[in-house]
Amino acid sequence: TVLEPLVRLIAPFAPHLAEELYSALGNTESVHHAAWPVFEPEWLVEDSVTLPIAFNGKTRFTLEFPADADKAAIEEAVLTNEQVKQQIGDKSVRRVIVVPGRMVNMVVA
């Protein structure tokens, strides 16, 4: 579970509280004798990224994309989005600037 590593992490800062919580989780030994939590990099991988969508340099809203999406996929998804179509209206798109992982800016006139 997530609680046991959390209790082990708070033990140096709140030792008495950590001991009580650790025993409430069903452990018989002291929390201070427990092994330190192991770093697991798979929990730090993001599945998606939220990018701001700007028109002529002014951010209007954000959209969520897969973290591994390339420029072409992001541009295609933005151009087919209903919010984008409403913002563009009857104007024409001169240029779409996509910086993967950072932002999307559309130059409209």
Side-chain angles (χ1 to χ4, degrees):
T1 66
V2 174
L3 294 177
E4 196 165 314
L6 178 65
V7 170
R8 285 188 241 153
L9 288 172
I10 66 167
F13 306 104
H16 301 291
L17 177 65
E19 285 291 341
E20 291 292 325
L21 292 173
Y22 198 67
S23 65
L25 289 172
N27 297 297
T28 56
E29 73 277 352
S30 173
V31 68
H32 299 286
H33 295 289
W36 195 252
V38 178
F39 173 70
E40 297 177 17
E42 68 266 8
W43 296 111
L44 297 178
V45 177
E46 299 222 12
D47 298 335
S48 63
V49 61
T50 303
L51 299 179
I53 309 300
F55 297 89
N56 294 334
K58 295 181 182 177
T59 302
R60 299 297 180 195
F61 52 88
T62 60
L63 293 175
E64 194 166 316
F65 300 97
D68 58 350
D70 60 347
K71 286 184 177 184
I74 293 172
E75 184 175 340
E76 181 182 338
V78 167
L79 290 174
T80 59
N81 185 280
E82 287 300 318
Q83 283 183 303
V84 172
K85 289 179 182 178
Q86 287 177 350
Q87 282 287 330
I88 294 172
D90 59 350
K91 299 174 186 171
S92 64
V93 178
R94 299 276 174 118
R95 187 171 177 198
V96 179
I97 303 165
V98 178
V99 182
R102 300 286 297 180
M103 72 170 298
V104 178
N105 185 25
M106 302 182 74
V107 179
V108 294

